[in-house]
């Protein structure tokens, strides 16, 4: 991508070009000295550091949406907790939602702070095999706001990827804010040398959500990020009194399953709207432990199986 | 083009914020706008959510284009009365599924253009819908409104603690940027089962009201979940008009009326 400053001549090669400051068109340009004396742009050295740091993390999964409030953080925490039920797995959650970090509350870690060790930043551990890192741990009060423009957010994300010591981790689940902007570009860019297994895309059934999610899917395709699959969350509400189902968020255009089919991406499953899930998120407790017989638990377990299968974990799959 | 004039002719400017995604900012923005329009006022809706612009679909103007005039961009009018004007990046996209993959600086430039280049005309109210967060879009909107006397902010939340947690941060943003808070709306507050009329607190209850009390801000009301509201938003139909007797529509109309009364006292900008 070449940037042409406003005062540049007509055939300016662009400030990022190798010919910057050196081409015949540069003669007489007020920026010529700056461009010609700039050091040649090499690859960002931090990319190699990040690659090295994350080489001990076997599988990296991004949880994306495009639409806000569909349950990315909920799904991230449930996937991570569900994976961590297998004692053989070491699981991590990285929360790169810098302005709205929900993960500390959802994981029952509000008020925790980040600790530095000789080997870097230590995640905060919920269980022995489940560690968490979030911008929320950098805030001293729940009212503190991170009011940062893009470049500063990118800096923190890079630091998270470079400096957090995950040790040997089987699954790192990365929670993101909604959208297709700085945070998403940065994560993909900084992880370009480390392998991301893929993205899990979360949506709710209605078209107002699907509209944004189609954009997110196209973003993934644009940056060549593999898509593990789409999850339809808040898919039907069962009244606790009469047990009839209501579609609070009606799938007026066919819901996520049809959208996934149209966009030729896998569909991982549906999750029902169970008020007890929200309550566990508010209280920071594990829905798997509190309500193991809920239909939502079965749905999550199926989805986790699908993800593990995608990540080629066949030797650890149980046959039930 | 006189950059000053375009916002100068707008009497009242209200920003809809949350901090949390998916709580109903766009829903509340559109229904307040429609309610004010029904009261005979001239209203504009500016959608500064560049990555996920929901407003055009909700107002049934999804496939429209915008046109340039000598004074700037002409907003989209859903109907010939031209009492509702809409601007969104969605109108500038070639294909509606194209993602807007922009970093902060490019988003800021677009938002500045939206604030200065849209020919709103003589509006009573401009409702500005925002994406979740406290970042580029929000900082740029506040900076862009400086000197134009914005009336303030409506904070939207859902009842549960996870949402309220983000809204507390948004309140800090308002305090730091000296934006008056007109009130808090607690959306998706309860669901009445259409089969048996039992009310379930699907997303908990009371968090928004408690937040308003804690920070001594006006509480504008609880809007219950209503699948008919979701359907109207999907189809670009005015819920406050089509289902005016429903509890959700009644409270949304009341919220619009309250905001109108409170801000009318502010008068026009000098």
């Amino acid at each position: 991508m070449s940037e042409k400053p406003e005062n540049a001549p007509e055939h300016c090669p662009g400030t990022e070009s190798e010919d910057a400051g050196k081409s015949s068109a540069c003669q007489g340009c007020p920026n010529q000295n700056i461009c010609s004396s700039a050091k040649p742009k090499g690859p960002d050295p931090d990319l190699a550091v990040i690659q090295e740091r994350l080489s001990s993390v076997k599988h990296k999964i991004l949880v994306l949406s495009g639409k806000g409030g569909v349950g990315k953080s909920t799904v991230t925490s449930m996937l991570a907790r569900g994976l961590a039920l297998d004692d053989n797995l070491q699981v991590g959650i990285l929360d790169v939602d810098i302005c709205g970090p929900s993960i500390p509350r959802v994981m029952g870690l509000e008020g925790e702070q980040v600790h530095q060790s000789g080997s870097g930043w230590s995640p905060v551990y919920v269980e022995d095999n489940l560690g968490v890192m979030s911008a929320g741990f950098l805030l001293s009060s729940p009212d503190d706001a991170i009011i940062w423009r893009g470049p500063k957010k990118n800096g923190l994300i890079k630091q998270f990827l470079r400096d957090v010591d995950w040790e040997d981790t089987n699954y790192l689940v990365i929670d993101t804010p909604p959208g297709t902007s700085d945070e998403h570009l940065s994560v993909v860019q900084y992880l370009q040398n480390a392998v991301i297994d893929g993205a899990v895309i979360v949506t709710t059934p209605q078209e107002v959500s699907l509209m944004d999610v189609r954009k997110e899917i196209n973003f993934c395709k644009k940056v060549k990020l593999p898509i593990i699959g789409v999850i339809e969350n808040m898919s039907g509400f069962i009244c606790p009194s009469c047990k009839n189902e209501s579609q609070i968020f009606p799938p007026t255009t066919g819901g996520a399953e049809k959208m996934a089919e149209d966009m030729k991406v896998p569909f991982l499953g549906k999750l029902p709207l169970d008020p007890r899930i929200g309550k566990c998120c508010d209280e920071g407790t594990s829905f798997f432990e509190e309500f193991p017989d809920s239909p939502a638990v079965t749905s999550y377990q199926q989805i986790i199986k699908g993800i593990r299968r995608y990540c080629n974990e066949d030797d650890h799959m149980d046959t039930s | 083009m006189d950059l000053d004039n375009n916002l100068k002719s707008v009497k009242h400017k209200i920003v809809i914020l949350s901090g949390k995604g998916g709580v109903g900012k766009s829903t509340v923005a559109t229904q307040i706008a429609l309610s004010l329009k029904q009261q005979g006022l001239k209203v504009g809706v500016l959608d500064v959510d560049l990555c996920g612009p929901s407003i055009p679909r909700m107002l049934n103007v999804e496939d429209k284009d915008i046109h340039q005039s000598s004074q700037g961009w002409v907003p989209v009018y859903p109907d010939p009365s031209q009492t509702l004007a809409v601007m969104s990046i969605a109108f500038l996209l070639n294909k509606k599924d194209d993602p807007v993959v922009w970093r902060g600086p490019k988003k800021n430039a677009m938002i500045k253009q939206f604030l200065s280049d849209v020919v709103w005309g003589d509006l009573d109210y401009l409702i500005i819908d925002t994406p979740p967060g406290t970042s580029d879009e929000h900082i740029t909107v506040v900076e862009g409104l400086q000197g134009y006397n914005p009336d303030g902010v409506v904070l939207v939340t859902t009842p549960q603690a996870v949402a309220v947690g983000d809204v507390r941060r948004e309140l800090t943003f308002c305090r730091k940027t000296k934006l008056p808070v007109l009130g808090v709306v607690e959306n998706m507050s309860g669901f009445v089962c259409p089969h048996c009329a039992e009310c379930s607190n699907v997303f908990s209850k009371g968090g928004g009201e408690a937040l308003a009390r804690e920070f001594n801000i006006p509480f504008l009301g609880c809007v219950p979940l209503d699948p008919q509201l979701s359907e109207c938003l999907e189809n670009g139909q005015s819920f406050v008009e089509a289902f005016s007797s429903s509890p959700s529509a009644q409270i949304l109309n009341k919220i619009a009326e309250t905001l109108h009364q409170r801000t009318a006292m502010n008068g026009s900008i000098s």
Side-chain angles (χ1 to χ4, degrees), chain A residues 148-212:
Chain A
W148 290 354
R149 288 194 185 274
K152 212 165 166 183
K153 290 195 285 188
N154 299 337
L156 181 60
I157 292 172
K158 199 187 226 190
Q159 225 181 336
F160 274 165
L161 292 170
R162 196 187 54 212
D163 295 349
V164 176
D165 183 11
W166 295 103
E167 298 182 335
D168 283 322
T169 294
N170 297 89
Y171 285 93
L172 180 63
V173 189
I174 304 173
D175 188 23
T176 61
T180 48
S181 188
D182 287 276
E183 295 88 336
H184 315 86
L185 282 167
S186 295
V187 165
V188 170
Q189 184 191 335
Y190 298 145
L191 288 178
Q192 58 185 268
N193 294 343
V195 175
I196 305 178
D197 289 68
V200 167
I201 303 197
V202 184
T203 183
T204 43
Q206 77 278 41
E207 178 59 23
V208 165
S209 294
L210 300 179
M211 267 166 35
D212 289 348

Side-chain angles (χ1 to χ4, degrees), chain B:
Chain B
M1 190 192 319
D2 184 348
L3 296 179
D4 270 346
N5 265 339
N6 286 327
L7 272 185
K8 237 182 173 178
S9 57
V10 175
K11 289 202 188 76
H12 300 286
K13 297 157 249 353
I14 297 177
V15 187
I16 312 291
L17 292 176
S18 178
K20 185 86 186 74
V23 296
K25 290 178 289 306
S26 300
T27 301
V28 166
T30 51
Q31 300 311 304
I32 287 177
L34 289 164
S35 184
L36 292 169
K37 173 183 187 286
Q38 253 188 297
Q39 292 177 42
L41 297 160
K42 284 186 79 175
V43 189
V45 182
L46 173 58
D47 179 7
V48 301
D49 187 343
L50 303 181
C51 296
S54 309
I55 297 286
R57 187 179 183 94
M58 293 179 177
L59 293 175
N60 201 25
V61 286
E62 208 177 5
D63 296 314
K64 300 281 189 258
D65 295 317
I66 55 171
H67 305 284
Q68 290 258 17
S69 77
S70 54
Q71 293 152 299
W73 286 348
V74 179
V76 170
Y77 295 103
D79 69 61
S81 72
Q82 297 199 345
T83 46
L84 181 62
V86 187
M87 182 52 68
S88 167
I89 198 169
F91 301 136
L92 298 168
L93 298 175
N94 284 330
K95 285 185 268 180
K96 65 177 189 201
D97 296 342
D98 279 347
V100 171
V101 186
W102 292 353
R103 288 197 183 268
K106 210 162 168 184
K107 290 198 283 186
N108 298 335
M110 183 86 258
I111 292 171
K112 279 188 193 147
Q113 245 189 307
F114 275 165
L115 287 170
S116 65
D117 293 2
V118 177
V119 186
W120 295 108
D122 287 322
L123 286 185
D124 296 295
Y125 284 90
L126 179 62
I127 311 288
I128 303 175
D129 185 27
T130 62
T134 48
S135 188
D136 288 275
E137 296 88 336
H138 315 87
I139 300 170
T140 302
V141 163
V142 170
E143 285 177 355
L145 290 178
Q146 257 170 21
Y148 293 101
N149 225 14
D151 293 71
V153 156
V154 171
L155 285 170
V156 182
T157 186
T158 45
Q160 76 270 49
V162 166
V164 171
D166 282 348
V167 180
R168 304 176 82 93
R169 291 187 257 266
E170 201 72 21
L171 256 175
T172 303
F173 171 82
C174 294
R175 216 175 42 244
K176 288 193 169 170
T177 53
K178 299 191 181 20
L179 274 175
V181 179
L182 297 168
V184 176
V185 173
E186 183 176 301
N187 194 22
M188 305 199 202
S189 190
F191 173 66
V192 177
C193 176
H195 301 104
C196 70
E198 169 92 358
C199 182
S200 296
N201 291 327
V202 180
F203 299 115
S204 189
K205 181 96 178 151
E209 199 164 358
L211 178 78
R213 222 174 14 245
E214 185 184 339
F215 287 93
N216 208 21
I217 315 162
F219 182 64
L220 294 170
C222 290
V223 183
L225 278 162
D226 187 337
Q228 286 170 328
L229 172 54
S230 303
E231 279 226 38
C232 281
L233 295 167
E234 298 276 280
N235 300 325
Q237 212 187 347
S238 168
F239 173 75
V240 286
E241 205 175 339
F243 296 96
S244 54
S245 56
S246 90
S248 304
Q250 284 177 357
I251 190 71
L252 283 163
N253 278 324
K254 185 160 162 284
I255 290 169
E257 177 58 39
T258 305
L259 288 170
H260 180 35
Q261 282 171 1
R262 287 213 184 123
T263 53
M265 295 190 290
N266 292 348
S268 325
I269 331 108
S270 51

